[in-house]
Amino acid sequence: MGFFSKFFGQKESTHSSPQNRSQHAHKLSPSEDGLEPPTIINRANEISWNAWNKNANNLIKLKNIVISGTTFNNNDGVSRQKILAKMVRWEAVDIIRDSKNAHDKNAIAVYGGMGQIGFINAASAQQMAPMLDAGFTPLAKLSGLFGGNGKLFGCAIDVHLHAPQNAIKMDCKIVGISGKDDNGESRAEIAQELDEGDMIDFDDTYSFSDTITVSGPAGEFGKLGKKDATKVAELLNNSYKYSAYVSDISGYDRPQVFVTAIFWK
């Protein structure tokens, strides 16, 4: 198991605005003979440390989010593969909501300085789109760049989502990992499949209970402590939305897992 998760900066004046970008982001044509970008623009060091980490108490950090659609050409005929070939790790990228996308209402397009490089993968976009729509402010960097030497390019990004002022952040230690779920499966074995950054869900039977189980990609792996469960139930019963992810994990046979959740209306 790996404990490193699998999971904006200012735009150049020579490119279209975010609004124009999102309106056209889904009009693509897959091709291997796309054009080279007319100008090489790298955005290294564009995001300062202070900007990246501001308001840390209301900050969601998502790591290594895989970008899809990197083999397509953009509307101007420029190849995303040829853009990626000229990008450098840790340069700033923009993430732009594309709510009118005919294929995915949660679509989030990703742009470098030379044009669009793809979309946030569908699973991550499903979690991120409601936050962006609710006013979370994103900053993003290219955290992974793969391929070259005859292989197709792929990439991943790190995203910091700065929550609105009225958002509530909770850091919770998960308990009950040593037990079994309702199907008799070992929660510890399920927890061993987790990575930092994995999105998690709370169960939906919290209304009249102080027990709230927690599930990740592989299933239920524990529950919230009583104090945290009471607070989460109160927020959810008052129509707060939330997004939560694994913020820290250690150990193997007896994993310790911490999750961070942001609640907002």
Side-chain angles (χ1 to χ4, degrees):
M1 177 186 71
F3 290 148
F4 298 98
S5 70
K6 47 192 179 299
F7 282 18
F8 136 103
Q10 294 177 348
K11 286 158 280 302
E12 301 291 336
S13 60
T14 56
H15 295 284
S16 58
S17 67
Q19 291 81 5
N20 289 336
R21 290 179 176 188
S22 63
Q23 288 170 2
H24 299 291
H26 62 281
K27 299 178 182 178
L28 311 172
S29 57
S31 175
E32 296 180 356
D33 57 355
L35 303 175
E36 293 278 350
T39 306
I40 298 176
I41 302 172
N42 295 123
R43 301 167 63 188
N45 303 317
E46 184 174 300
I47 301 174
S48 69
W49 188 93
N50 286 335
W52 187 242
N53 294 284
K54 69 178 180 180
N55 300 325
N57 289 335
N58 271 2
L59 177 63
I60 295 180
K61 298 180 180 181
L62 302 177
K63 298 181 179 180
N64 295 327
I65 299 174
V66 175
I67 303 307
S68 62
T70 58
T71 60
F72 287 77
N73 289 342
N74 291 322
N75 284 342
D76 57 4
V78 173
S79 164
R80 294 178 183 173
Q81 287 289 297
K82 293 178 180 178
I83 291 175
L84 286 170
K86 294 174 174 58
M87 293 185 73
V88 295
R89 195 177 182 209
W90 298 120
E91 69 173 277
V93 296
D94 298 329
I95 60 174
I96 309 294
R97 273 288 278 130
D98 186 14
S99 57
K100 296 182 180 180
N101 190 299
H103 305 288
D104 184 359
K105 66 180 181 180
N106 296 314
I108 304 171
V110 183
Y111 287 83
M114 293 171 277
Q116 185 176 359
I117 58 174
F119 287 90
I120 301 291
N121 69 79
S124 297
Q126 184 177 11
Q127 295 282 348
M128 291 175 58
M131 290 186 281
L132 295 176
D133 294 343
F136 281 68
T137 303
L139 288 172
K141 296 182 180 182
L142 188 74
S143 59
L145 187 59
F146 326 107
N149 296 321
K151 297 181 180 179
L152 291 172
F153 282 98
C155 64
I157 64 173
D158 282 5
V159 178
H160 284 190
L161 290 165
H162 299 273
Q165 289 186 345
N166 62 349
I168 298 170
K169 181 180 180 181
M170 289 183 60
D171 295 306
C172 310
K173 181 179 180 180
I174 305 305
V175 302
I177 297 178
S178 59
K180 296 184 178 182
D181 65 14
D182 291 340
N183 297 318
E185 300 290 335
S186 166
R187 288 174 171 166
E189 291 182 2
I190 295 172
Q192 289 167 11
E193 300 299 319
L194 292 169
D195 286 311
E196 291 179 11
D198 279 347
M199 307 305 292
I200 62 97
D201 292 306
F202 302 130
D203 69 25
D204 57 2
T205 59
Y206 52 78
S207 297
F208 304 101
S209 172
D210 58 7
T211 299
I212 296 181
T213 57
V214 183
S215 298
E220 180 203 325
F221 60 89
K223 59 184 180 180
L224 296 177
K226 185 174 181 179
K227 184 177 180 179
D228 287 336
T230 299
K231 180 63 174 177
V232 169
E234 178 184 358
L235 291 169
L236 296 179
N237 284 325
N238 280 283
S239 301
Y240 277 80
K241 298 178 181 178
Y242 75 91
S243 183
Y245 65 99
V246 176
S247 52
D248 187 56
I249 182 169
S250 60
Y252 188 74
D253 292 333
R254 302 179 65 181
Q256 293 191 51
V257 182
F258 294 82
V259 302
T260 295
I262 295 281
F263 299 84
W264 72 91
K265 279 191 174 182

